[in-house]
């Protein structure tokens, strides 16, 4: 009985030591909550020059249209693969464009709550009205809600997993390690719709890679007769999918501004800033285009770069 008890006691002490070591040597500690959660495109979006006047837009819902759930090899999970708060991300990106000078965003996702609150104000004023002239005692009426000439629609249209997987590993004399990686992608689309006639004014999309990596290492060796030493360590790095979604949304907003400049939907307050920004934007597109500008910096026409211009047009330019 004594050897068995001794083994159990040693195992308990070893487990306690490992748990204490894991808490002491924790690779990543929990930090405090921070504000201004931004992606890699936030600074570029904020640095946009101001327009001639803010563009009034309405956003009802920026939906998750992927229909995908988190993948699992053993269990069935009902958690969605991407965030359900994409509408809030789109509203934030719109309000950050040009440091808040580009868009006037109207609340439409919580329109029912907004109308109920206005109704409560109206009923409260009527309830506590004193005197015969109720119109004067109620005070000034609520101003009408703003309406938007442009409606923004779209959503997260795709979340593709395991587009690229792989790894490498090596072991020698009981010592070695391995690494594995996986690449996923998320795609968002955004379109501007005219409320006047329902026509689609502009349509843009953006795609972002989500990269995950796992690193494992271990030691398996006999240190003495019937004494086996086994050590394992590993770390996994996963890019947050919500950050990738935010970056695709911000890229869509930036592209929407640029496409609006190309299609003459709106203009910069300083027309001389249009040409360098549009040229840089066109270089980032899959099909590079050549743009022609007038003296005020507005886009006159666009031609695919791989198509040679007629000699007469080339001489005019």
């Amino acid at each position: 009985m004594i050897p068995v008890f001794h083994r159990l006691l040693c195992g308990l002490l070893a487990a306690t030591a490992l748990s204490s070591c894991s808490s002491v040597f924790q690779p990543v500690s929990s930090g405090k909550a921070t504000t201004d959660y931004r992606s890699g495109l936030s600074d570029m979006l904020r640095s946009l020059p101001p327009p001639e006047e803010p563009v009034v837009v309405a956003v009802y819902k920026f939906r998750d249209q992927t229909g995908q759930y988190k993948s699992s090899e053993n269990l069935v999970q009902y958690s969605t693969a991407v965030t359900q708060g994409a509408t809030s991300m789109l509203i934030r990106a719109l309000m950050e464009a040009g440091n808040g000078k580009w868009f006037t965003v109207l609340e439409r996702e919580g329109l029912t709550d907004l109308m109920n609150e206005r109704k409560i104000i109206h009923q409260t004023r009527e309830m506590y009205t004193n005197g015969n002239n109720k119109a004067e005692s109620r005070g000034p009426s609520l101003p009408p809600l703003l309406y938007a000439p442009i409606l923004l629609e779209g959503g997260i249209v795709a979340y593709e997993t395991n587009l690229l997987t792989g790894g490498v590993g090596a072991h020698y004399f009981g010592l070695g390690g391995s690494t594995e990686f996986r690449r996923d992608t998320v795609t968002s689309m955004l379109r501007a719709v005219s409320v006047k006639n329902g026509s689609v004014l502009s349509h843009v999309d953006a795609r972002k890679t989500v990269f995950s990596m796992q690193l494992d290492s271990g030691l398996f060796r006999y240190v003495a007769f019937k004494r086996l030493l086994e050590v394992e360590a590993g770390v996994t790095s996963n890019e947050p999918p919500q950050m990738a979604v935010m970056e695709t949304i911000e890229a869509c907003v930036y592209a929407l501004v640029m496409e609006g400049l190309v299609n003459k939907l709106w203009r910069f307050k300083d027309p001389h800033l249009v040409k360098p920004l549009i040229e840089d934007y066109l270089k980032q597109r899959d099909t590079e285009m050549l743009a022609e500008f007038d003296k005020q910096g507005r886009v006159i026409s666009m031609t695919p770069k791989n198509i040679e211009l007629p000699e007469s047009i080339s001489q005019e330019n």
Side-chain angles (χ1 to χ4, degrees), residues 221-242:
R221 182 175 299 178
Y222 282 95
V223 295
F225 182 68
K226 293 185 179 181
R227 293 292 185 269
L228 177 64
L229 174 63
E230 186 174 359
V231 180
E232 293 181 351
V235 63
T236 302
S237 176
N238 296 316
E239 187 176 359
Q242 68 271 14

Side-chain angles (χ1 to χ4, degrees), residues 98-250:
N99 287 323
K101 298 179 181 180
W102 254 99
F103 296 98
T104 299
V105 186
L106 304 184
E107 174 62 37
R108 290 296 183 265
E109 185 181 18
L111 183 59
T112 303
D113 299 334
L114 178 61
M115 298 303 296
N116 288 339
E117 193 65 25
R118 290 172 63 91
K119 185 177 180 180
I120 291 174
I121 295 175
H122 180 72
Q123 292 177 349
T124 304
R125 288 181 177 180
E126 288 186 348
M127 184 180 302
Y128 292 95
T129 297
N130 296 321
N132 297 326
N133 193 347
K134 295 183 178 181
E136 294 180 359
S137 58
R138 282 200 305 263
S141 60
L142 291 176
L145 293 177
L146 293 177
Y147 62 89
I150 296 178
L151 184 64
L152 297 184
E153 294 285 348
I156 309 168
V157 297
Y159 185 78
E160 301 161 316
T161 60
N162 298 331
L163 290 181
L164 179 64
T165 58
V168 63
H171 292 81
Y172 177 73
F173 198 57
L175 176 64
S178 63
T179 178
E180 298 178 1
F181 64 88
R182 188 185 72 182
R183 190 180 70 182
D184 306 334
T185 60
V186 57
T187 306
S188 298
M189 290 187 177
L190 180 66
R191 63 183 181 272
V193 182
S194 173
V195 178
K196 182 178 180 180
N197 52 24
S199 62
V200 178
L201 303 176
S202 181
H203 186 277
V204 295
D205 61 86
R207 189 181 186 188
K208 175 70 173 63
T209 299
V210 184
F211 194 77
S212 303
M213 184 182 66
Q214 180 179 354
L215 177 64
D216 295 320
S217 61
L219 173 64
F220 187 87
R221 182 175 299 178
Y222 282 95
V223 295
F225 182 68
K226 293 185 179 181
R227 293 292 185 269
L228 177 64
L229 174 63
E230 186 174 359
V231 180
E232 293 181 351
V235 63
T236 302
S237 176
N238 296 316
E239 187 176 359
Q242 68 271 14
M243 179 64 74
V245 172
M246 179 183 294
E247 191 163 340
T248 58
I249 292 175
E250 291 180 344

Side-chain angles (χ1 to χ4, degrees), residues 86-105:
T87 306
S88 300
M89 292 182 179
L90 176 59
I91 293 175
R92 175 186 170 174
L94 293 170
M95 297 187 67
E96 285 186 344
N99 287 323
K101 298 179 181 180
W102 254 99
F103 296 98
T104 299
V105 186

Side-chain angles (χ1 to χ4, degrees), residues 44 254 274-285:
M44 184 175 67
Y254 184 85
V274 177
K275 183 176 181 179
L277 285 177
I278 289 186
E279 288 181 345
D280 183 66
Y281 167 72
L282 295 178
K283 290 179 182 179
Q284 299 175 8
R285 293 193 354 182

Side-chain angles (χ1 to χ4, degrees), residues 289-306:
M289 307 284 287
L290 294 176
E292 300 178 17
F293 302 87
D294 59 10
K295 296 181 179 179
Q296 285 74 30
R298 292 175 297 186
V299 179
I300 301 176
S301 62
M302 295 178 59
T303 308
K305 189 174 182 179
N306 55 356

